[in-house]
Amino acid sequence: MRIIFAGTPEFAVPSLRAAARHNEVVAVYTQPDRPAGRGRGLQASPVKLEAVQRGIPVLQPENFKSAISKDALRALQPDVMIVVAYGLLLPRSVLAIPQYGCWNVHASLLPRWRGAAPIQRAIEAGDDQTGVCLMQMEAGLDTGPVLLEQRTQIGANETGGQLHDRLAELGAQVLADGLGLLRVGLSPMPKPQADEGATYARKLDKAEARLDWSRPAVELERKVRAFNPWPVADAVLGGERVRIFEAVALGDEHAAEDGTIVGAGKLGIDVVCGEGVLRLTRVQRDGGKPVSAAEYLNARRDLLDFFAGRNLFPGEA
């Protein structure tokens, strides 16, 4: 089969490999190179790097508004277009070009978590399970009928990064299954999505990374896991901003004000929350690297002086 693959970040790379395994990928579409790093030099997307390594032609249009961009895609005569975290909306006129339309690999069990950040929002919301869907694309945002899906449990300690990597591989498997059926003339049966139960996974924003100590500890623990490795939850400890990579919710209750440190030692730094206590176990100072709470306290002995129930976070609750 002649396939066009459209994707941009690391999540899409396993799916590109799966698409290329038994099919002819005639072109890869990906976002234009963007400035990145300290030097702000132009950086190619992970999907572009994979395509170049495989010798697949790469196209990087800003959008599909022009007739030229649509004609270029049409000239490739694709049987199907695979879209995985591409980052561009495809107009109806593009969706109609491939013989079998456009398929999307989406990292949630639709209609749960339509939108930009389904992996992190599932952890943040406390979902027990998630998965991947192979969806027949239509004009709406992640509203198309589902062709195939795979479910998986979310681990109790699983981070956004770990779940991202698992779902990237699971998505590639589902895509391979769908393409395998299509090659033998058995196109997967589309199952319409129900609007009931649909939720929207809004894009992650650094501004939401600051922990609000008035919230329950279990909620903050999920946020710490979901936002690891980006944007990474943060807080102010004794006047210093730290990024929090790992934390554990404790059921302990304290009368102290929200945001008060009530324990600090080898096991972590315990902070009072609206409900329960959050134990910070891995943190990072500005300019430093992530370290255990014990290592952090060795460098911040002054913090222990606040230990007797003093509020270290004025104005931060």
Side-chain angles (χ1 to χ4, degrees):
M1 284 192 303
R2 293 175 61 84
I3 290 178
I4 291 176
F5 188 91
T8 299
E10 196 67 42
F11 181 84
V13 173
S15 288
L16 172 56
R17 293 172 182 154
R21 198 163 296 138
H22 301 293
N23 307 282
E24 182 186 5
V25 179
V26 295
V28 162
Y29 279 72
T30 191
Q31 289 272 323
D33 298 355
R34 307 290 190 197
R38 292 181 182 275
R40 306 301 295 164
L42 290 178
Q43 184 169 312
S45 74
V47 163
K48 179 179 180 179
L49 296 176
E50 180 72 18
V52 170
Q53 187 178 12
R54 291 174 173 272
I56 302 172
V58 176
L59 294 94
Q60 298 175 275
E62 290 284 353
N63 54 56
F64 287 95
K65 293 180 180 178
S66 71
I68 293 176
S69 62
K70 296 173 188 173
D71 289 344
L73 195 152
R74 189 176 293 106
L76 294 167
Q77 299 181 308
D79 293 314
V80 63
M81 183 170 179
I82 306 300
V83 182
V84 187
Y86 180 30
L88 280 183
L89 293 176
L90 302 183
R92 292 179 190 273
S93 55
V94 168
L95 296 176
I97 290 176
Q99 179 182 356
Y100 297 103
C102 297
W103 288 3
N104 173 239
V105 176
H106 184 78
S108 86
L109 298 173
L110 293 168
R112 182 70 167 164
W113 300 125
R114 295 169 176 167
I119 298 172
Q120 294 82 2
R121 298 304 179 195
I123 294 177
E124 187 181 17
D127 291 2
D128 293 327
Q129 66 172 346
T130 184
V132 291
C133 284
L134 182 62
M135 178 186 66
Q136 183 81 49
M137 294 180 69
E138 59 180 30
L141 178 64
D142 299 331
T143 58
V146 174
L147 303 171
L148 296 172
E149 72 171 24
Q150 281 285 338
R151 295 172 177 265
T152 184
Q153 294 296 120
I154 298 177
N157 300 314
E158 196 162 24
T159 67
Q162 291 165 339
L163 185 57
H164 166 282
D165 293 349
R166 281 207 304 123
L167 293 184
E169 295 296 335
L170 200 60
Q173 293 175 25
V174 171
L175 174 60
D177 291 344
L179 290 174
L181 290 171
L182 196 60
R183 278 197 305 276
V184 297
L186 298 173
S187 182
M189 183 66 70
K191 179 181 178 182
Q193 291 185 41
D195 286 334
E196 185 179 355
T199 51
Y200 177 65
R202 69 186 187 282
K203 187 177 180 180
L204 298 180
D205 188 336
K206 282 186 178 181
E208 59 180 319
R210 180 62 53 88
L211 295 185
D212 177 356
W213 298 114
S214 70
R215 305 302 304 167
V218 292
E219 181 180 306
L220 297 185
E221 180 202 35
R222 295 197 303 260
K223 188 167 186 173
V224 169
R225 288 195 291 119
F227 286 15
N228 179 356
W230 196 90
V232 182
D234 68 60
V236 175
L237 295 179
E240 178 184 59
R241 173 184 173 271
V242 295
R243 305 173 82 203
I244 302 166
F245 283 81
E246 294 177 6
V248 179
L250 307 178
D252 307 4
E253 293 294 343
H254 289 268
E257 187 177 348
D258 299 343
T260 302
I261 287 183
V262 292
K266 290 189 296 185
L267 296 179
I269 303 169
D270 294 353
V271 184
V272 173
C273 302
E275 294 176 14
V277 167
L278 189 68
R279 174 168 290 172
L280 315 182
T281 58
R282 194 165 188 81
V283 301
Q284 179 187 28
R285 305 176 78 173
D286 281 344
K289 62 181 182 181
V291 296
S292 69
E295 291 173 294
Y296 175 74
L297 290 171
N298 283 338
R300 288 292 312 273
R301 300 293 299 181
D302 59 301
L303 267 186
L304 299 180
D305 296 336
F306 291 89
F307 182 72
R310 183 171 170 180
N311 186 0
L312 302 181
F313 317 100
E316 295 296 328

